[in-house]
Amino acid sequence: MSHSTEAAAVNEEAGRVSSEPVAASGYIRRGSRQFMRVTLALFSAGLATFALLYCVQPILPVLSHQFGISPATSSLSLSISTGLMALGLLVTGPLSDAVGRKSVMVTALMLAAICTLISATMSSWHGILIMRALMGLSLSGVAAVGMTYLSEEMDARVVAFSMGLYISGNSIGGMSGRLLSGVLTDLFSWRIAVAVIGLFSLASALMFWKILPASRHFRPITLRPRNLLINFRLHWRDPGLPWLFAEGFLLMGAFVTLFNYIGYRLLDAPWHLSQAVVGLLSVVYLTGSWSSPKAGALTSRLGRGPVMLGATAIMLLGLLITAFNSLWLILPGMMLFTAGFFAAHAVASGWIGPRARRARGQASSLYLFSYYVGSSVAGTLGGLFWHNFGWHGITLFISTLLLLALLVAWHLHHKKL
């Protein structure tokens, strides 16, 4: 081969390499093989996390009947998981800042799947609650760390889009967990349903471990109480982060309350729907798998504040539609409510990384701590409104949360935070 031909071949090869969409800095760009691996891995992790967490939601009436407990007590099977998950986030986020992202996530997801399999064998209500608590504690190692991994490894131009895809995995996981548990409980039993979801999540954990690329931009920090306290104070003194934490509390509290008690409403008069049909209504989560990446893309053009305001307003509109007694209105109302929630959550969670100046794992943990505390507190309080005032009470309670969320979103937008 002549020198000119060889040079041309080298130049052609260099052109192919340079066209590969990988940033020179090592950050992962959209279109690359690494982008596909990260997206698939974190999508599957989000799917498994939310399937494990919310698989009990459509079967709360079944648990009430089998164990002779009230709706509010039955809802503890979800609230205790989200509550322990919230507490665990205060530890696992900083832990991932010290020991690494991938190892924490893989271990957490496997432990959560194992706890779920054990819960399916428990004969006492208290035994189920203990396993659900341990499962929630384990999942804390996936939730915040996944967000932090994306903010560290992805090119800045695609972080919002990647976060939206990750959240869409959450929405499909929530749908899958509810759908499978509702249908399998109707066909077999709630124990079979929970066991199947546990096995599915264990397989997802193994795939996640196999395909997720190791961190390239992770820089460990010393896990000292003094450093944790300093970073904690910095996060709470930030003009924007505490408002985002409050937004997570309000949005998740509203979302979980609706889905905790909509099943009781539809199983009762005048509809008397079956458990399987109530589980099938979880297909509304597909609207979240569309709206979350869409919201992430819209923030690039419109800004975070307007998108969050619009998404929260859509939630409120969907909620008000569910107040009617026609199934043909209740279902579209649930779809709007769900689409709005996942869009707003995608924007809020994607806002944390750019605002946090340091210890992003801890900042993400604080956001999700507030998020899941909202789930536990509001999800349980909603039972009191349901018991005393029915669906109109639930509507009033959730509307209050969403009006407060709109005020917070307006503050963030108005102050240009």
Side-chain angles (χ1 to χ4, degrees):
M1 180 184 294
S2 67
H3 289 295
S4 59
T5 305
E6 185 176 353
V10 171
N11 289 335
E12 181 182 357
E13 179 64 23
R16 286 197 296 267
V17 172
S18 64
S19 66
E20 177 69 17
V22 178
S25 61
Y27 290 99
I28 299 171
R29 296 178 63 179
R30 188 173 178 178
S32 67
R33 182 179 299 176
Q34 294 289 83
F35 179 86
M36 295 303 299
R37 290 178 60 188
V38 170
T39 299
L40 180 59
L42 284 171
F43 183 90
S44 67
L47 192 152
T49 296
F50 273 66
L52 290 169
L53 199 58
Y54 292 108
C55 64
V56 297
Q57 201 169 48
I59 61 173
L60 292 180
V62 174
L63 298 176
S64 291
H65 176 74
Q66 178 160 347
F67 292 97
I69 52 180
S70 69
T73 303
S74 180
S75 72
L76 287 175
S77 59
L78 177 58
S79 295
I80 199 169
S81 299
T82 54
L84 267 291
M85 186 176 184
L87 290 175
L89 287 166
L90 298 178
V91 177
T92 53
L95 180 65
S96 74
D97 285 334
V99 304
R101 314 300 184 196
K102 182 174 179 178
S103 57
V104 171
M105 288 189 284
V106 170
T107 303
L109 198 53
M110 287 187 175
L111 287 176
I114 292 169
C115 288
T116 298
L117 289 170
I118 295 173
S119 72
T121 68
M122 289 290 173
S123 58
S124 72
W125 177 244
H126 291 99
I128 291 172
L129 289 183
I130 290 171
M131 285 298 106
R132 290 288 299 173
L134 292 175
M135 185 273 299
L137 188 64
S138 300
L139 285 179
S140 66
V142 182
V145 184
M147 292 166 52
T148 308
Y149 178 96
L150 287 174
S151 66
E152 287 178 341
E153 303 301 324
M154 307 302 286
D155 184 76
R157 290 167 293 184
V158 296
V159 168
F161 179 72
S162 299
M163 198 71 72
L165 290 175
Y166 175 50
I167 300 300
S168 74
N170 295 349
S171 70
I172 293 178
M175 180 202 72
S176 302
R178 290 171 172 88
L179 181 61
L180 283 173
S181 63
V183 173
L184 292 177
T185 296
D186 215 30
L187 294 175
F188 303 102
S189 72
W190 70 267
R191 296 184 187 278
I192 294 293
V194 170
V196 168
I197 291 169
L199 289 171
F200 162 79
S201 299
L202 189 60
S204 294
L206 293 172
M207 184 183 76
F208 177 80
W209 170 64
K210 182 71 174 177
I211 69 173
L212 183 71
S215 298
R216 298 185 64 181
H217 299 93
F218 169 72
R219 298 294 179 268
I221 62 174
T222 305
L223 192 63
R224 293 176 180 173
R226 176 180 171 81
N227 289 344
L228 294 178
L229 184 59
I230 290 172
N231 292 329
F232 180 83
R233 288 175 177 171
L234 283 175
H235 296 325
W236 281 100
R237 288 175 180 173
D238 183 90
L241 286 175
W243 292 97
L244 289 169
F245 301 157
E247 191 76 340
F249 177 96
L250 294 166
L251 291 172
M252 187 58 163
F255 181 72
V256 166
T257 300
L258 184 139
F259 279 93
N260 270 6
Y261 302 102
I262 192 73
Y264 286 97
R265 183 189 184 195
L266 297 177
L267 288 168
D268 204 354
W271 304 285
H272 298 292
L273 299 182
S274 70
Q275 188 66 55
V277 173
V278 171
L280 284 170
L281 291 179
S282 298
V283 296
V284 300
Y285 269 56
L286 290 175
T287 62
S289 67
W290 171 82
S291 68
S292 50
K294 185 70 173 178
L298 282 174
T299 58
S300 302
R301 293 195 290 116
L302 304 178
R304 296 185 180 95
V307 177
M308 184 180 289
L309 281 165
T312 308
I314 289 172
M315 284 184 73
L316 182 58
L317 175 62
L319 169 70
L320 296 177
I321 292 174
T322 67
F324 292 94
N325 283 327
S326 168
L327 278 177
W328 298 108
L329 290 174
I330 292 173
L331 183 59
M334 292 171 65
M335 293 173 67
L336 282 174
F337 184 85
T338 304
F341 167 73
F342 280 103
H345 173 45
V347 175
S349 58
W351 210 330
I352 297 294
R355 280 225 61 90
R357 295 181 175 87
R358 56 189 291 180
R360 289 177 174 175
Q362 187 179 16
S364 295
S365 293
L366 288 171
Y367 170 77
L368 289 175
F369 171 79
S370 304
Y371 180 84
Y372 287 112
V373 167
S375 171
S376 297
V377 173
T380 302
L381 283 178
L384 302 178
F385 282 83
W386 167 254
H387 179 74
N388 291 296
F389 308 108
W391 194 253
H392 291 302
I394 291 289
T395 302
L396 177 63
F397 178 61
I398 298 176
S399 295
T400 303
L401 295 176
L402 292 178
L403 289 172
L404 290 172
L406 282 170
L407 289 175
V408 171
W410 172 254
H411 174 82
L412 288 164
H413 173 58
H414 181 68
K415 295 294 184 180
K416 301 187 185 303
L417 298 173

